[in-house]
Structure formats: structure tokens, C-alpha cells
Amino acid sequence: MRYQDLYDEMTGGTARDSLPRWAGRVLTAIASGSRPITAVRHPLGFLCLPLERTEEYGVCVHIWSGALPRAASTTSQIHCHSWDLVSHVLYGRVENVRADVSDATSALTHRVFEVVSGADGDRIRPTPRTVRCAPGVSEVYGPGQTYTLPAGVFHASVIPGGETATIALGRGRPGGSDLSLGPPDLGTHLVPRYRCDARETARAALHAAGRLS
């Protein structure tokens, strides 16, 4: 299944039954090497298995686990996408904590950073905008549930049990930027995207597939 097929399953009420089976087959194929995918250690703490990428659409499996290698963020976990997210939880739980962000020049807590992704990694660029940030509405989603998050909404994803996998669909919005909140005095820097080798990718795929079986 591709983006539109998965989107129709998630929004049509059939994802709870169909998508774990589909994901199990995809993960098994990745683990065997018959589907050549390279896992990427994302700075937000999960492993990303990119299944489909076009200029407008993206499909990934995201895996959070303390048993798998992880990258660290240089800014914070609070971020917003330049694309609309539709995500289905395969196992575990995801807590989305929206952030209440207001512009501030005094008593500020963060600076807004633009994240520009390229072949060599993510270039983190400070913007002139400084803000005051506080936790907002929190929502928890479990296995079989689908949730959405519009582009431009600051949030952080928390994994209560430490073990979660989701199918994430992204649809880009023209003119938007990927943003992150970070320390006010942090400068421009490059965060490499660490690509896993074949053994690490297979291990991650098997780990997730085992929790679906």
C-alpha cells in the first residue's frame, strides 16, 4: 500500500485490522533484505524506516525503543512540521503534548529554529523569533488508534512505556517550515542524520515485527 491507500484505511475506520498485518509483512521484508530500506536515527528519539517519499507525500514507520540505537536532539523535543501528519499506532502508546507558544522578548524560554534537511543532515538555523513556551493540551493514543496533527502546531511526542511503533503519513504544505524550539543563545549548526547499517536496520525491523506477531 502507498500513501493514499494507507490514508484511506486510517480515515475509513479499517486500519485497526488491516494495518498491523500490512506492517508485519513490510517489516519482515525489510528484515530479510528483500525490501531495501535503510533505517535512520532521528534526532527526536525514534528510528525511521522511510517507505515512500515524493515531493508532496511521505510514508514512514517510526519505532521507539530503548533497545535500539538513538540519536539525540541539540535543541529540544518541541517542534512543528511543515506537513500535515496522520499517524496510526501499531503498538505501545504515544502522548502528544501540544505547546502553548507566545512571542516574548522578556522572560522568554526558547528561540525558534528553522530545520533545513539536506543530504548531509539537518542544518539548524536560529531565527529572530523568541518565545515563551508552556505545556498545553496532552492526548494519549494507543494501539489501533489514528491521530492527526496539522502543520505548524508545536508539540512534543512522549512515549509512556518506552516501546511504540507508528505508521506516519506526511503531506507537505507549500511555504511551511520545519521548526524546533531551543536555547536562546544556540547558534547555527549541522546535525548529521545517522543511517543504520543493514544489520541494525534488520534488527529494528525484526524488533517491531516481533511485537506485532
Side-chain angles (χ1 to χ4, degrees):
M1 286 191 281
R2 296 178 67 83
Y3 176 96
Q4 192 61 51
D5 305 310
L6 295 165
Y7 181 87
D8 291 344
E9 294 283 338
M10 291 184 190
T11 58
T14 55
R16 180 184 292 270
D17 295 326
S18 63
L19 292 194
R21 293 194 301 270
W22 174 82
R25 293 192 298 269
V26 169
L27 291 166
T28 300
I30 293 171
S32 71
S34 61
R35 183 160 185 173
I37 297 290
T38 300
V40 179
R41 302 179 198 176
H42 196 282
L44 291 175
F46 55 84
L47 279 186
C48 174
L49 295 172
L51 304 181
E52 178 186 349
R53 289 286 171 85
T54 69
E55 289 187 3
E56 185 176 3
Y57 301 110
V59 177
C60 300
V61 173
H62 291 169
I63 305 169
W64 287 264
S65 173
L68 300 174
R70 288 186 284 182
S73 171
T74 59
T75 51
S76 77
Q77 294 293 305
I78 305 168
H79 64 286
C80 72
H81 309 136
S82 61
W83 37 270
D84 295 331
L85 170 69
V86 182
S87 184
H88 183 80
V89 182
L90 293 169
Y91 62 80
R93 292 186 298 157
V94 176
E95 180 181 4
N96 271 335
V97 183
R98 297 201 182 199
D100 289 333
V101 175
S102 57
D103 291 339
T105 56
S106 61
L108 59 93
T109 59
H110 297 83
R111 183 176 298 279
V112 177
F113 291 80
E114 183 180 19
V115 182
V116 181
S117 298
D120 55 349
D122 297 326
R123 189 161 296 279
I124 314 298
R125 298 174 176 168
T127 73
R129 185 183 177 194
T130 53
V131 299
R132 188 178 301 116
C133 177
V137 174
S138 174
E139 298 172 304
V140 179
Y141 302 92
Q145 291 185 294
T146 296
Y147 64 92
T148 62
L149 195 68
V153 176
F154 280 104
H155 66 285
S157 295
V158 179
I159 307 303
E163 292 280 347
T164 296
T166 65
I167 302 171
L169 308 183
R171 181 176 183 178
R173 291 297 178 189
S177 297
D178 294 316
L179 303 175
S180 180
L181 300 188
D185 297 329
L186 186 65
T188 299
H189 59 286
L190 179 69
V191 178
R193 281 288 177 99
Y194 294 100
R195 298 184 181 276
C196 297
D197 60 24
R199 184 181 64 82
E200 290 173 325
T201 297
R203 179 186 172 204
L206 282 174
H207 180 87
R211 290 183 168 266
L212 289 172
S213 60

